[in-house]
C-alpha cells in the first residue's frame, strides 16, 4: 500500500508551527522574539529548545531593523550562508562568508588559530552595523569577542552566536551573554548549529511564515 502523507508544503509549515506553539513554553518571549524562537525550534525539531534560548533586551527588534536598513549578514560557515533564504531578506542584503578566501589558511597559521577564527579578520570592512551569524565554530565567536574588545573595531548591529559542539561552544556563548558587546541571541550550552542559526536569520529577515 502506498504511504499517505501531507504533500502541501504550506500546510506542513502551518501544522508544524501550530504544533510548536501548542507544545513549547513561549510565555517569556516578547512578540518580536516569539517567531524567531518558533523557527529555531522548527529547525532543531526539538520542543524544549526554548528553555536554552536567550536574547538581550531588544535584540530581535534591533536586528530586524538593521536588516530592513540594508545590513549585511556575516556568516562563519558556508552551511550558514547557504541556508539563508535570499527571498526573505528585505532589501537584497549581502550575505558574506569569508571562510574560503585564499588568504585564510596562511592567516590562520600566522595567528595560530583556526581558519574559522582567521576568516573573521576579513570581516572588518563589513562589520559596522552588520548582523553576525555564527552557527558552527566556537573559535569564531571567541575571536569576534576578542576583536570587539578593541574600541576601534567596528561594531555589528547584533550577534547571533549559536555555535555547536563539545569544546568551547558553551564557554563562548556564556562569554557572549556575560558581557554582550552588542545586542545578542544565543542557545546556551552545547546546543546550536548552522540550521538553528539560519532559522534565526530567516525569522528576523521576514515575519512571514
Amino acid at each position: 500500500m502506498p504511504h499517505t502523507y501531507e504533500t502541501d508544503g504550506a500546510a506542513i509549515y502551518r501544522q508544524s508551527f501550530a504544533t510548536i506553539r501548542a507544545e513549547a513554553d513561549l510565555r517569556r518571549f516578547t512578540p518580536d522574539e516569539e517567531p524567531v524562537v518558533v523557527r529555531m525550534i522548527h529547525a532543531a525539531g526539538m520542543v524544549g529548545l526554548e528553555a536554552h534560548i536567550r536574547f538581550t533586551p531588544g535584540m530581535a527588534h534591533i536586528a530586524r531593523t538593521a536588516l530592513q536598513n540594508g545590513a549585511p549578514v556575516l556568516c562563519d560557515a558556508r552551511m550558514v550562508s547557504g541556508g539563508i533564504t535570499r527571498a526573505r531578506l528585505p532589501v537584497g542584503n549581502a550575505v558574506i562568508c569569508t571562510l574560503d578566501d585564499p588568504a585564510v589558511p596562511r592567516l590562520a597559521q600566522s595567528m595560530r588559530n583556526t581558519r574559522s577564527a582567521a576568516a573573521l579578520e576579513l570581516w572588518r570592512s563589513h562589520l559596522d552595523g552588520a548582523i553576525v551569524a555564527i552557527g558552527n565554530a566556537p573559535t569564531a565567536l571567541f575571536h569576534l569577542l576578542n576583536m570587539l574588545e578593541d574600541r576601534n573595531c567596528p561594531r555589528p548591529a547584533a550577534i547571533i552566536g549559536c555555535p555547536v559542539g563539545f569544546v568551547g561552544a558553551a564557554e563562548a556563548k556564556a562569554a557572549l551573554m556575560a558581557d554582550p558587546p552588542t545586542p545578542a541571541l544565543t542557545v546556551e550550552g552545547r546546543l546550536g548549529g548552522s540550521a538553528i542559526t539560519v532559522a534565526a536569520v530567516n525569522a528576523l529577515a521576514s515575519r512571514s511564515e
Side-chain angles (χ1 to χ4, degrees):
M1 291 287 292
H3 294 285
T4 300
Y5 56 96
E6 179 62 72
T7 60
D8 184 325
I12 291 170
Y13 269 105
R14 286 195 302 271
Q15 292 175 36
S16 296
F17 293 147
T19 299
I20 291 166
R21 289 189 168 98
E23 296 183 4
D25 184 358
L26 304 173
R27 291 172 295 179
R28 68 182 174 87
F29 298 105
T30 70
D32 273 331
E33 296 166 351
E34 188 260 9
V36 181
V37 176
V38 168
R39 276 199 169 262
M40 292 171 77
I41 293 170
H42 181 256
M46 179 183 169
V47 170
L49 183 71
E50 70 275 10
H52 306 281
I53 297 174
R54 297 287 180 269
F55 293 82
T56 59
M59 181 275 177
H61 174 74
I62 291 165
R64 189 171 282 117
T65 300
L67 287 168
Q68 290 168 350
N69 290 335
V73 184
L74 307 182
C75 307
D76 70 320
R78 287 291 179 192
M79 287 186 291
V80 177
S81 62
I84 294 171
T85 304
R86 300 312 195 263
R88 295 182 67 89
L89 293 169
V91 289
N93 309 62
V95 178
I96 298 168
C97 179
T98 55
L99 186 59
D100 293 335
D101 189 286
V104 168
R106 185 173 295 178
L107 186 58
Q109 284 186 331
S110 69
M111 292 169 58
R112 297 184 177 180
N113 208 330
T114 66
R115 293 186 183 189
S116 295
L120 271 64
E121 288 295 322
L122 306 182
W123 285 6
R124 291 181 182 272
S125 62
H126 308 287
L127 198 56
D128 189 26
I131 302 299
V132 168
I134 296 177
N136 183 61
T139 56
L141 182 53
F142 270 129
H143 189 63
L144 176 65
L145 295 176
N146 287 342
M147 287 169 61
L148 293 176
E149 287 184 0
D150 180 356
R151 293 181 179 274
N152 294 319
C153 182
R155 285 291 186 273
I159 298 169
I160 302 168
C162 301
V164 64
F166 295 92
V167 179
E171 293 82 358
K173 291 181 285 188
L176 169 65
M177 301 308 281
D179 186 20
T182 69
L185 160 61
T186 197
V187 178
E188 296 175 320
R190 294 171 172 176
L191 296 168
S194 297
I196 289 173
T197 303
V198 165
V201 175
N202 286 338
L204 290 166
S206 172
R207 290 183 179 273
S208 172
E209 292 190 344

